[in-house]
Amino acid sequence: RQGRYPQPPELPTVPGSEVAGEADGRRVMALPRGGGYAEAIAVDESLVVPLPEGASFEEGAGFLLTYLTAWIPLTRQVRVGAGSVVLVHAGSGGVGSAAIQVAKHLGARVVATASSEEKRSVAREQGADEVFGYDEFAEKVRADVVLDPVGGEVFAQSFGVLKPLGTVVAIGFAGGWWEPLDPAPLVGRNLGLQGFYLGRLMRHNSEIVREAIGELLQLWSSGAVTPLVGATFPLERAGDAHELIESRKHVGKVVLVP
């Protein structure tokens, strides 16, 4: 909405990249090509995913994008398993809470960051073993993998906490645009940088996304992961939902209900 997205859609556009509801009598969720801020939308059959039994529409509307953004990097771009230490920035947010759950499922020790004690408590509830403020983690954490939706100074500091052969996965810039990066220290310290953007991956390698969705549905159905819905707003109050997110006071996913 602010016009800062790296690959913005053509205008005019309707926002909303994930939805849940009923289609032909089925309870489903989807990643629509058109905007999701609507009472009814058309979705390609290939993009429709069954909602697990007992899951709410609100949970379904907050599942696919966040869990794919955590699951695909942690299973395809880096090595995570027993003994790994994974640092998740913004651990109380939508992607952050999903990443904590996913990394724990993969056997990692999970450390998270969050900006307030309330948010740090939420990160612990999602399974984080330790949680720090952004002014603390650089001195107290040593990690094999850093998952970063924050960007800015936090992104730059994250390389300092990596163990040899460690990797930062950049997935967002909620805290500011990424700082320029000199590859020389990465080479000298045996470090790596990965980037992940689900939208482009869906366009150019949708088979990987479909495969990952199947894996995640099994995890959700088994109870290994559970979406965190922090707030809901009626569709006509979408502006209030945006203001909550921009104030950085939300936790989990913020969902609109038509």
Side-chain angles (χ1 to χ4, degrees), residues 173-258:
F173 56 98
W177 195 253
W178 299 284
E179 297 184 6
L181 184 65
D182 181 357
L186 303 188
V187 175
R189 295 181 54 218
N190 298 288
L191 306 181
L193 169 64
Q194 290 274 359
F196 183 78
Y197 174 38
L198 180 62
R200 186 173 181 83
L201 186 64
M202 287 179 61
R203 290 194 296 272
H204 293 276
N205 199 332
S206 60
E207 184 56 37
I208 287 180
V209 178
R210 282 195 291 268
E211 181 182 75
I213 288 174
E215 295 163 355
L216 285 168
L217 284 177
Q218 292 182 7
L219 290 185
W220 191 2
S221 297
S222 71
V225 300
T226 304
L228 174 61
V229 177
T232 61
F233 289 83
L235 181 59
E236 61 267 22
R237 291 182 57 202
D240 294 334
H242 288 190
E243 288 181 6
L244 176 64
I245 295 171
E246 290 166 0
S247 70
R248 302 187 70 174
K249 294 179 180 179
H250 71 293
V251 299
K253 290 288 286 189
V254 179
V255 178
L256 298 177
V257 180

Side-chain angles (χ1 to χ4, degrees), residues 17-18 58-59 61-63 65-66 92-95 97 227-232 245 250-255:
S17 55
E18 51 187 334
E58 289 83 0
E59 289 175 321
F63 180 75
L65 191 151
T66 47
S92 66
V95 174
S97 59
L228 174 61
V229 177
T232 61
I245 295 171
H250 71 293
V251 299
K253 290 288 286 189
V254 179
V255 178

Side-chain angles (χ1 to χ4, degrees), residues 27-31 45-52 63-64 213 217:
R27 301 175 70 253
V28 300
M29 51 189 173
L31 296 169
E45 182 66 29
S46 63
L47 301 176
V48 173
V49 180
L51 195 63
F63 180 75
L64 287 172
I213 288 174
L217 284 177

Side-chain angles (χ1 to χ4, degrees), residues 155-168:
F155 169 75
Q157 290 180 314
S158 294
F159 290 93
V161 311
L162 286 178
K163 301 176 184 179
L165 303 182
T167 303
V168 171

Side-chain angles (χ1 to χ4, degrees), residues 102-128:
V102 165
K104 290 295 290 185
H105 171 76
L106 295 173
R109 176 175 177 78
V110 181
V111 183
T113 57
S115 60
S116 68
E117 185 52 47
E118 178 185 2
K119 290 187 174 185
R120 290 190 280 273
S121 295
V122 170
R124 292 186 191 97
E125 292 169 1
Q126 301 309 302

